[in-house]
Amino acid sequence: MTRSELWFTEQQNSNLKLGLRINKTLHSEQTEFQSLDVYETAEYGKLLVLDGCVMTTDRDEFVYHEMISHVALHTHANPKNVLVIGGGDGGAIREILKHESVERAVLAEIDGRVVAASKEYFPGIASGLSDPRVDVQVTDGIQYVNDHAGEFDVILVDSTDPVGPAVGLFAKDFYHAVHRALKPDGIMVAQTESPFMNANLIQKTSRDIGEVFKNSYLYLAYIPTYPTGMWSFTMGSKQYDPHQASACRVAGTKYYSTEVHQAAFALPPFVQELIQS
């Protein structure tokens, strides 16, 4: 019996593609905001694709979701109210709920179809969305932060790539709105793409967040299905220093640890040069 020759290919730029052999298509639709596809792959399990770009896979999702969540939540002294902007797959929410201090976690996702598809095809990722501490809001995340000043301890910007509905989530005005939505000791984290492929974006977001927040920090994680595998996150903090974070206080992580937290801020020289230029 021959293997499937059906492939999903993400055009990462004009010179680079990522290809994954797929066994079958599980779901395909055009939502109000974007194309949404779910595939069963031979190597990475189920795959969620938005507008032709890899969002998450069963096999490596834990790296991204743990690192966008736990770095800030261990840096903050007592996170109780947390907002995730985007992140309709629910992975960041799942990780947030591992923290006993969290009393309320809001998911502000513009596309309700992403939430619905994730619940159906990625129940392990979306498992926290039915928790009583979670408030799922199908709404524009930019408008949501503008309407909730001074409310959150931590805000995570779990956005898609800076195209389509996510463009505004990489703007300096948006970072100002996030700053206003945070409490006086609040922290934000945004995913900020690949140092190899998105150097200009990283320079801009690092500069913008650094101008809005008292302190800003870039850190790294390694996600095989994201462009080049090296991925960056940028933290803006009103008060806390992530180098002084608490030891890991949650169970069940597969990537995040006390040691990984500290190591994530040890940047290779070429990345350090990006944010200093």
Side-chain angles (χ1 to χ4, degrees):
M1 183 169 152
T2 59
R3 298 182 68 190
S4 165
E5 284 303 328
L6 185 61
W7 289 76
F8 164 77
T9 302
E10 178 183 340
Q11 182 82 39
Q12 297 183 338
N13 66 19
S14 58
N15 301 308
L16 183 65
K17 293 182 178 181
L18 170 71
L20 292 170
R21 186 191 302 273
I22 64 175
N23 297 327
K24 59 183 176 180
T25 300
L26 300 174
H27 183 85
S28 184
E29 69 172 292
Q30 180 67 42
T31 77
E32 180 183 353
F33 300 98
Q34 58 206 333
S35 63
L36 186 162
D37 301 285
V38 181
Y39 302 105
E40 179 188 288
T41 76
E43 189 70 26
Y44 282 92
K46 292 189 294 296
L47 161 69
L48 174 64
V49 175
L50 297 179
D51 278 343
C53 297
V54 171
M55 291 296 108
T56 198
T57 78
D58 283 333
R59 186 174 176 186
D60 67 356
E61 58 86 11
F62 64 91
V63 182
Y64 177 86
H65 292 132
E66 290 181 14
M67 290 301 284
I68 197 172
S69 305
H70 293 306
V71 174
L73 289 164
H74 283 88
T75 297
H76 196 283
N78 188 29
K80 293 182 178 181
N81 291 284
V82 183
L83 169 64
V84 179
I85 299 171
D89 56 36
I93 291 289
R94 180 194 64 198
E95 298 304 316
I96 289 164
L97 295 177
K98 293 177 180 178
H99 290 258
E100 293 182 357
S101 66
V102 171
E103 299 173 353
R104 175 172 172 250
V106 178
L107 178 72
E109 164 62 58
I110 197 169
D111 194 341
R113 291 300 304 153
V114 176
V115 177
S118 298
K119 286 181 176 179
E120 181 174 358
Y121 296 102
F122 299 89
I125 300 176
S127 58
L129 294 177
S130 59
D131 189 284
R133 290 177 288 169
V134 176
D135 177 13
V136 177
Q137 295 286 324
V138 179
T139 187
D140 181 352
I142 296 173
Q143 187 61 51
Y144 192 89
V145 295
N146 280 321
D147 292 342
H148 293 80
E151 193 166 317
F152 294 99
D153 300 301
V154 174
I155 296 178
L156 307 178
V157 186
D158 185 0
S159 67
T160 57
D161 296 336
V163 294
V167 168
L169 301 180
F170 291 83
K172 190 174 182 180
D173 286 347
F174 172 65
Y175 301 140
H176 277 292
V178 169
H179 189 279
R180 290 191 296 271
L182 287 166
K183 294 180 181 180
D185 62 348
I187 297 172
M188 75 158 283
V189 169
Q191 74 85 8
T192 46
E193 307 282 310
S194 164
F196 283 105
M197 291 185 58
N198 308 97
N200 291 338
L201 182 143
I202 289 173
Q203 287 176 324
K204 179 180 183 301
T205 55
S206 181
R207 180 179 64 250
D208 289 349
I209 291 173
E211 291 175 358
V212 172
F213 285 81
K214 179 181 178 181
N215 303 297
S216 67
Y217 309 88
L218 186 121
Y219 64 93
L220 300 174
Y222 299 90
I223 306 161
T225 53
Y226 284 7
T228 76
M230 176 186 280
W231 210 246
S232 75
F233 302 86
T234 303
M235 174 186 289
S237 176
K238 292 186 175 184
Q239 175 179 327
Y240 299 109
D241 182 345
H243 299 91
Q244 306 300 319
S246 66
C248 183
R249 55 179 178 253
V250 298
T253 58
K254 296 192 286 184
Y255 188 93
Y256 181 86
S257 68
T258 301
E259 294 78 13
V260 167
H261 178 114
Q262 296 297 331
F265 292 92
L267 304 179
F270 86 97
V271 179
Q272 192 69 48
E273 289 171 8
L274 281 182
I275 61 176
Q276 291 177 341
S277 60

